[in-house]
Amino acid sequence: MKPPLAEADVSIREILPADMDAIFAVRIATWHNPNGREEMTRMGITHESVLAMMRDRTRGWIAEARGRAIGFAMGHARTGEMWVIAVLKEFEDRGIGRALITKVEDWLASEGWHEIWLTTDVDEKFRAVGFYKRLGWTDWKFERGDRYMRKRLR
């Protein structure tokens, strides 16, 4: 495990509409898909669609190091979904992902959710699967090529 960054080096704050370029850059860099932006657009994930989600009970948090976006996470209060989490590879294993996902989990709990869910890859070799399991997420179902996981909140 890499050493945690000093608290002074990393800040986490709520995502603002002006952060769209930064969060898309992080997501594309972490997606392991050479056609990331095009694929996201085909899926309907654009600056405009994310801004619309943010107006409809979706919130997120962005982690920055020295003014650079290094990760973010977002959740839907309408559905109880942990929608997305992404941390740049060079900042993995430093507690940033855990801090981001905790922000979303705590917020969803404050919105009245007792159980939340997410989708991820079915392949156990994907780092994300182990990450979620270490944080208490459990497999729920496998459907249309996706692994659905859920977590009971306090």
Side-chain angles (χ1 to χ4, degrees):
M1 188 165 157
K2 297 174 191 169
L5 294 169
E7 280 190 37
D9 291 337
V10 176
S11 61
I12 295 178
R13 63 171 175 79
E14 193 162 350
I15 292 172
L16 303 171
D19 294 319
M20 289 302 107
D21 285 339
I23 67 171
F24 271 75
V26 169
R27 185 65 187 115
I28 290 165
T30 61
W31 200 358
H32 313 294
N33 181 338
N35 303 309
R37 185 170 297 278
E38 295 82 11
E39 180 70 18
M40 288 175 71
T41 299
R42 279 194 295 277
M43 295 170 66
I45 303 170
T46 63
H47 284 49
E48 295 77 21
S49 70
V50 173
L51 289 168
M53 287 171 50
M54 290 173 65
R55 290 188 294 272
D56 186 30
R57 299 189 64 206
T58 296
R59 285 177 69 185
W61 286 263
I62 186 169
E64 296 172 313
R66 298 173 197 95
R68 174 186 175 206
I70 60 170
F72 75 100
M74 298 179 82
H76 290 301
R78 184 176 300 284
T79 64
E81 181 183 11
M82 170 64 221
W83 184 56
V84 63
I85 182 168
V87 175
L88 294 175
K89 185 155 187 67
E90 63 264 35
F91 294 95
E92 289 178 352
D93 296 323
R94 295 181 178 205
I96 296 163
R98 179 183 300 265
L100 287 166
I101 203 168
T102 298
K103 290 276 191 189
V104 175
E105 290 173 358
D106 289 349
W107 174 66
L108 288 171
S110 78
E111 290 290 309
W113 289 95
H114 300 288
E115 186 173 82
I116 57 177
W117 63 279
L118 58 79
T119 59
T120 191
D121 201 278
V122 296
D123 189 344
E124 288 280 337
K125 295 179 202 152
F126 269 60
R127 286 179 49 104
V129 175
F131 171 73
Y132 296 132
K133 285 184 175 184
R134 283 189 303 280
L135 295 180
W137 292 81
T138 59
D139 286 333
W140 172 23
K141 62 183 176 178
F142 294 84
E143 207 172 81
R144 292 178 296 234
D146 285 320
R147 172 191 302 260
Y148 287 75
M149 300 181 83
R150 59 186 169 189
K151 182 175 184 179
R152 190 105 181 110
L153 300 176
R154 6 188 202 296

